[in-house]
Each structure stands twice: as structure tokens, then as C-alpha cells.
Amino acid sequence: MKLNKRGLLVVISGPSGVGKGTVRKALFELDGHDLTYSVSMTTRKPRKDEVDGKDYYFVTKKEFERRIKEGLFLEYAEFVGNYYGTPLDIVEDKLGEGLEVVLEVETAGALQVREKMKDAVLIFIVPPSKMALYERLISRGTETNYQVNKRISKADIEFKLAHKYDYIVVNDEVFNAADRINAIIRAEHAKTARSIHTYLDMLEGENGK
Amino acid sequence: MKLNKRGLLVVISGPSGVGKGTVRKALFELDGHDLTYSVSMTTRKPRKDEVDGKDYYFVTKKEFERRIKEGLFLEYAEFVGNYYGTPLDIVEDKLGEGLEVVLEVETAGALQVREKMKDAVLIFIVPPSKMALYERLISRGTETNYQVNKRISKADIEFKLAHKYDYIVVNDEVFNAADRINAIIRAEHAKTARSIHTYLDMLEGENGK
């Protein structure tokens, strides 16, 4: 029995190349949760087969910038000339329905979320060692030396952001990391700050009987 | 991989009659942890078959009171003329070895622990409803009406202490409650405050290489 009925906003982030996406996928494959994704909004043109409202919410640059001004994004970023962002109202609706919303974002996005939603659960995924991450970036083989070096420099800066997060989870083995995040979600629901209101209602409701 | 090497002090408490002992036993039966008990100290006489240092540490009243004065108890209480307490140094040793020490104590004891050890994990076990607890106390059938009423009055006061704890766990089904505590233990180890030092050592160690 879960006292807290509201869903959690779970932010999975970490240094570039740490394997956030793989951990997130493994998390969704675990049983016993009500996890959902948040669909992003973008100004990039839809690709063939992409469905508005499913893959992305496709909007104009003017519309996106209006939404930025009105504070309607949980986080957003510009990437090669296009905006990408997480609409705040849609996330709020899902949380209200009791679904856990999982966001996998870059460190800059995670820190924006912290500002907007104080009760979000921020998880920093780290490699078992710096070398493990460097090796991973190099062995991908899909990027030029220049690109790899740029990612390493980015990771080196991001390594130092751990203290901004609620939890640090080592991605030594993907299943272990996903399973630990699952434990974090279960534990967070039991936190007194999240569960005491329902608990007190329970006591009062019975007194009234 | 667990970044925090120190064990956790896990305090299981809750209103009288909620089933703390049953939950604690179920927790120890779960896999994948390094849980240990703490042996209490008492001034009561050893019963036949009781072993000093295993069942209890048996000491004189004078010795116990000297230890109280020196602040050597994590928590203690007097019960029908005898003292019972948890020796601080023994708990500290076990935590240092990386073992999780589980204490199952009355609410008064739990609040003493909070004062002495700020990083203890305090878990408040609650019944699914007040009536469920009352029925449980009445149906035991091992106590007089007077004793049952006294326990109900005690529980009614204790119900209101939930806000002093870190987590609230509903004992709707013993296995569920134990499993949630297990998740809390895993999550607590990943908390940034507990794991960042090892993480930073990891980064620095490699920089030095």
C-alpha cells in the first residue's frame, strides 16, 4: 500500500556517454511500477512516420518562444538551431494521475528541472570510473577524434555536478543501476514529506466516523 | 556497486501493536542485504540458557547508570524496574564494518536515536487503518481489558509521531512492508549525502594516476 498517490518526476541524468538511455530502457523493462515517458515539444520538422503528440509535439519557433516566456517548460534546450523542451502542464497532468514520469536529460536540463519542481527526484548516473567512460566514448567508433575529445571535455565538467542531485547511481551493470533506481522510486513514495498528508487524512477520517 | 561503504542504522518503530517485530523478521528473511541485530544491554538477571553477549549484555544497575551518565547508549528505557539499552560503541563498530544495524524499538527509543545519530534512517510502521490496529490488539486475547485499553491509549498518542520519522511504511501485508524497507535501505545508500565522498575520491584518485 502506497500512501503517496501523486506520481514522481524522476530525472535521469549524468555525464555525457555514461549510458543514461540504456539505464532508462532497462528501468522500463522492470516490473511493478507505473512509469511513463514525457513527450517532448520541438521546433524541428517531423520526419516521415513521426506522429505529432506521440514522438514529439511539433510547434513553430514563435509558439515555442511564447511558451518559454510564459514559463511553460520544465526544461528546454536549443540544439543545432532547433528547440527541444518538456511541457510542464503535460507532466503535471500525468503526476496528478499517479504516474511516475521519467525524464532522461542532459545535466543542463536536470538543473532546470530542480529550479521548477522542487520535489523532483534527481538521479545522477556515474560510471564505475572515469576511464570506463572515456573508453566507452572512444570505442563507440561512430565519431571523429574531435567529437570524442569534445565529449570527454564535456563529461569532465559534468562529473563535478553530482552534489546537485539527490542520488548517485553507479552504472557498473545496467540491470543493477535500473534496479537501484526502482528502489529509489519505492523509497521516495514512503518518504514522510510525501506520505504524511494521506496518513493524517486516514487518521482523521476515522475519528470522524 | 554501492558507493557508500558505511552501514546504515535502520530504526523500525511505530505505534504499539502495529507488528514491528513481524515486519523486522520478514525483512531479515529477504535476500541481498547485510543486516545485523544489535545486542541490547540490560540489568535484568539472565534467564536459564541466556548467553551474555549473545542474548543480552548483562550488567549491574551501577554499571548501567554509569554508562547512561557517560552518554554510551544510543537509546535506553526502564521497564518494570530494569534497564534496557542499545550500546552506542557496538553499533558504531558494526556500521564501520559496513553492516546495516536494525533496531526495533518503541517510539520513545526511536526519538532518542534521532538525537544521538542524525544520519539514522527512522521508519514509522503504521496500520492500514486505526481500526485494524485496535482489532489486532483486542484479538490477541492474551491480555486483560485493562491492558488492551492501555495499549490503545498508548497507540493513539503514538499515531501522532509520524512526522518525526524519515519514512512511513504501511503494514498492510508483512512482505510488502518488509520489501519496502529493503528498497529504502538500497535507496538510502545511493543518497548523494552518503555517497558523494567515495565518488569524489574515485575521481581524484584517477586524476592522481
Side-chain angles (χ1 to χ4, degrees):
Chain A
M1 187 172 157
K2 199 167 73 175
L3 283 171
N4 177 39
K5 307 301 179 197
R6 190 176 145 88
L8 301 172
L9 178 63
V10 180
V11 180
I12 297 179
S13 191
S16 185
V18 77
K20 297 185 277 289
T22 325
V23 171
R24 177 186 43 77
K25 270 181 211 132
L27 175 65
F28 273 80
E29 282 163 17
L30 296 176
D31 288 331
H33 53 58
D34 286 313
L35 301 183
T36 185
Y37 293 99
S38 142
V39 177
S40 295
M41 193 170 276
T42 184
T43 57
R44 132 165 121 53
K45 294 279 163 284
R47 289 178 195 142
K48 200 173 60 167
D49 300 337
E50 280 187 335
V51 178
D52 185 47
K54 192 186 156 218
D55 298 292
Y56 283 99
Y57 295 102
F58 296 100
V59 296
T60 62
K61 195 168 181 182
K62 200 179 155 190
E63 167 73 5
F64 202 105
E65 286 174 343
R66 182 188 65 80
R67 284 173 171 261
I68 294 174
K69 270 188 205 130
E70 292 183 11
L72 298 177
F73 287 106
L74 197 48
E75 56 83 35
Y76 71 94
E78 212 177 337
F79 183 68
V80 289
N82 285 306
Y83 284 118
Y84 295 81
T86 306
L88 186 55
D89 51 344
I90 294 168
V91 168
E92 278 288 0
D93 286 351
K94 289 186 174 179
L95 297 177
E97 289 168 27
L99 296 165
E100 335 281 7
V101 179
V102 178
L103 281 188
E104 175 210 333
V105 288
E106 300 286 308
T107 52
L111 302 181
Q112 287 181 54
V113 174
R114 171 90 315 157
E115 289 304 307
K116 284 268 184 174
M117 212 179 269
K118 298 296 175 197
D119 67 348
V121 181
L122 266 63
I123 299 172
F124 197 63
I125 311 286
V126 301
S129 70
K130 270 188 172 185
M131 279 310 294
L133 189 139
Y134 296 161
E135 281 165 15
R136 199 188 141 109
L137 286 173
I138 293 162
S139 70
R140 278 180 176 179
T142 53
E143 291 171 324
T144 62
N145 279 352
Y146 171 76
Q147 284 172 318
V148 169
N149 284 335
K150 219 174 132 186
R151 274 188 188 271
I152 287 178
S153 307
K154 188 167 174 246
D156 279 342
I157 294 165
E158 292 174 322
F159 275 132
K160 291 168 194 149
L161 298 171
H163 65 283
K164 303 264 192 184
Y165 290 73
D166 301 307
Y167 297 94
I168 303 174
V169 169
V170 184
N171 184 17
D172 48 351
E173 204 275 298
V174 174
F175 174 78
N176 284 347
D179 196 48
R180 194 170 289 270
I181 295 175
N182 212 22
I184 289 169
I185 293 172
R186 299 199 66 201
E188 279 283 334
H189 275 291
K191 264 198 178 168
T192 301
R194 296 190 198 272
S195 53
I196 196 157
H197 297 292
T198 315
Y199 170 72
L200 293 177
D201 285 351
M202 180 193 95
L203 292 188
E204 286 206 4
E206 291 187 18
N207 284 339
K209 269 178 201 164
Chain B
M1 187 171 157
K2 199 167 72 173
L3 282 171
N4 178 39
K5 307 301 180 198
R6 188 175 147 88
L8 302 173
L9 178 62
V10 180
V11 180
I12 297 178
S13 190
S16 185
V18 77
K20 298 184 277 288
T22 324
V23 171
R24 177 187 41 77
K25 270 181 212 133
L27 176 65
F28 274 80
E29 281 163 15
L30 296 176
D31 288 331
H33 54 57
D34 286 314
L35 302 183
T36 185
Y37 292 99
S38 142
V39 176
S40 295
M41 193 169 278
T42 185
T43 57
R44 131 166 123 51
K45 294 279 164 283
R47 290 180 194 140
K48 200 174 61 168
D49 300 337
E50 280 187 336
V51 179
D52 186 45
K54 191 184 156 217
D55 297 291
Y56 282 98
Y57 295 102
F58 296 100
V59 297
T60 62
K61 196 168 180 180
K62 200 178 156 191
E63 167 72 5
F64 202 105
E65 287 173 344
R66 182 188 65 80
R67 284 172 172 261
I68 293 173
K69 270 189 206 130
E70 292 183 11
L72 298 177
F73 287 107
L74 196 47
E75 56 83 35
Y76 72 94
E78 213 177 336
F79 183 68
V80 287
N82 285 306
Y83 286 118
Y84 295 82
T86 306
L88 186 57
D89 52 343
I90 294 169
V91 169
E92 279 288 359
D93 286 351
K94 289 186 173 180
L95 297 177
E97 289 168 27
L99 296 165
E100 335 280 8
V101 179
V102 177
L103 281 189
E104 176 210 332
V105 288
E106 299 287 309
T107 52
L111 302 181
Q112 286 181 54
V113 174
R114 170 92 314 158
E115 289 304 307
K116 284 268 184 177
M117 212 179 269
K118 299 293 176 199
D119 67 348
V121 181
L122 266 64
I123 300 172
F124 197 63
I125 311 285
V126 301
S129 70
K130 270 188 171 184
M131 279 310 294
L133 189 139
Y134 296 162
E135 281 164 16
R136 200 187 139 109
L137 286 173
I138 292 162
S139 70
R140 278 180 175 179
T142 53
E143 290 172 325
T144 63
N145 279 351
Y146 172 76
Q147 284 173 317
V148 169
N149 285 335
K150 220 174 133 185
R151 274 189 187 268
I152 287 178
S153 309
K154 187 167 176 247
D156 279 342
I157 295 165
E158 291 174 322
F159 275 132
K160 292 169 193 146
L161 298 171
H163 64 284
K164 303 264 192 185
Y165 290 73
D166 301 307
Y167 296 94
I168 303 175
V169 169
V170 184
N171 184 17
D172 48 350
E173 205 275 297
V174 174
F175 174 79
N176 284 347
D179 196 48
R180 197 170 287 270
I181 295 175
N182 212 23
I184 290 169
I185 293 172
R186 298 199 66 201
E188 280 284 333
H189 275 291
K191 264 199 179 167
T192 302
R194 297 192 197 272
S195 52
I196 197 156
H197 297 293
T198 316
Y199 170 73
L200 294 176
D201 285 351
M202 180 194 95
L203 293 187
E204 285 205 5
E206 292 188 13
N207 284 339
K209 268 179 200 163

